[in-house]
Amino acid sequence: MPTPTPPQPLQPIPSAPSILPNTRALIAQYLTTHSTLAQIITPSTATFTNTIHHLAQADQASDAFAALISCLWYCSPSEEVRTAAQEARKLWREAETSVVSRSDVFALIQAVHDREGDDLVGEDKRLLVDMLGDYTDIGHGVLNEEEREELRKSWLEVGDLIEEFTGNLAQEKGGMWFSEEELEGVKKDKVGSFRLGGKGDGEGEGNRWVSFQRGDHAAVMKFAERRETRKKYMDGADRRLPENVPIFRRVFEMRDGNARRLGYGSHAEYRLRGRMAGSPGWVEGFNASLNEGLGPFVERDLERRRACRRRHLERNPRFGGEGDEVPPEDRAYYRRLAEEEDRIDHEVISEWFPLEYTIRAMLRMFSAFLGIVFVAVPKEELDGKVWHEEVDVFSVWEEGEGNAVGEFIGYLYTDLLFRDGKYRGNQNCPLQSGHEKPDGTRSYPATVLMCSTPRTTSAPCPLLKHSEVVTIFHELGHGIHDLVSRTKYRRFHSWSGPQRDFCEGPSMFLESFCWLPSELREMSCHYTQLPSHPDYLSQWREKTPGKEDPAEKIPTEMVDDLVRRRYFDQGYWWADQLGISIFDMRVTNPSSREELLALDFAELYSDIYRELIPWKRKETNEPKGNSHVHFPHIIHGMDAGYYAYLWAGVFAADVFDRAFAANPRDGKTWERYRRVILQPGGSTDAKQMVEEFLGRPVNPEALFRRLRMAD
């Protein structure tokens, strides 16, 4: 297919020494725009065109470089680059807070709002209201100048603490020593991958070092036969990152104090104005309704694990154990045993999902869904344009006539494998937003699918467990949302608009496609059948002489067994998500400041889960651990907003069942979904978008109906 040259080139990757000078130059330009406007415009002459529009352009002028720097902070293999990027991010935060601290610029925006606010429509009206909110958030109209300066410094400190917190998560290298006897049951090749301790490792000499990273965690908790091993490992993992504990407390105490300075009753009340939820009361009511509905499903799932445990101990009395309790350290283990009883082996299933093939298959699926085309940018054109040699880039286009492509959409980057210094997790990382430029042309979006897929598997190439297929498809969905969104202003582009509690809905909706047999087979190819690696099959034959070669596509019966168990343990999973949402609201919406200051966060987190997922335990002095500081969401971006994942699950079930279940690839439905849900980004009220698409508000009954399917 002939592909024209994209109208927007790839961004060059800055060197470490150039990051701070370039950042300072852009910041100087950004600050100058605000100073110049304040000098030449007065409140009596300020209009949307001569003030708000120019401020928006100043905001957009530095968007691409600032987003790239944030991405490099997450993923650059160079510590020097990551350090410079972190300092650049701090400079940007300082510049942004200094701008919104200006009372002269606030006076201009307020004047436009008072004079033209009722006459504006669409994105222009939304821009004015949102921009005014940037200034009132720092205390204009409520606090005097001295109080605003104190608030500005406080928000800067909060930003620095969040950087430290997330940096600790990214660089965490904790783990524990275990003897090979303690690791009985863990697959031999996995045990062999754990570092063997030497003379310089003290108590670790002759033992194996098991990190707390996801792959090692799953291996121990699912396969270690000794309960003492699983409990020892879980307790150790729960206590990791103690340095994040005081940071977490400090951040939420400061947020609460800042919200109260501004006249809000809590940080949640401050954060939720303008969101879909609207108020803490709505969120707490939503959580309560889910809690009531989920209770029977949680008990059902726990009873299934108890039954599995009873069967296991009857066959293996040497493992001991009393009563019916299934404490946390046993849950993954017995889930794995239950899956084996149902002929589900995730290690074997993963052989049909080699990373390189499955990602390309996912792109083909989105091409079919949305009528877009992904064209790989040749590697020789990526020199100086990517931060690591393993990064791939695709130019993305609308489908054209015949063999031609249509209009250019943007760029998709993929950075899929774990490496030292890279953020541990899977996410979408915007590199550049789409918006209108001053000359009437467009800035096209660029976005990164950034994953930390383990490199080591039982095969000669990275393989994906089915859960990883679901997660990556979800994150790629964020990237597609980023690409097909089309807005006038940067701040409403894609999922990053003011109603961020909607952003998880479209991606969680896509997870249903990873449970459709036809789509799973579409994404599958046994790693031995990869056309690019003919040697894999010969290696497999040498290891398994006499066995029939694996089928290219995953066997139908294997898919059917997997899909049949889709909703098993989902009551427990949703309760786990609900627990985080309840905890989030407790620390962001206390009844008083005194209540917040008296909270024991670790005890609160533990107590919430003991209530949601009940189990009996003899021990009375269990360590509470630090589980609440092991993930970034409610300290960075989803504070007073974790309920969005629960709401997204309701949205996902309802939208799929109502519009897509009968014909998942119906072109007209997908075209309408793209136009109504994805394309507006944050420029339209989210509830209105959803109700326009569904013809009514979202109904949680769809989620409960799915959970009942496991009975």
Side-chain angles (χ1 to χ4, degrees), residues 433-446:
S433 65
H435 56 81
E436 291 182 8
K437 295 195 286 189
D439 62 2
T441 62
R442 287 199 66 79
S443 167
Y444 296 95

Side-chain angles (χ1 to χ4, degrees), residues 474 477-478 481 495 502-511 647-648 651-652 673 677-678:
H474 173 112
H478 283 306
H481 193 175
W495 47 264
F502 173 70
C503 71
E504 292 299 330
S507 279
M508 197 167 283
F509 149 74
L510 290 168
E511 293 180 13
W647 184 90
F651 167 90
Y673 182 80
I677 300 294
L678 300 180

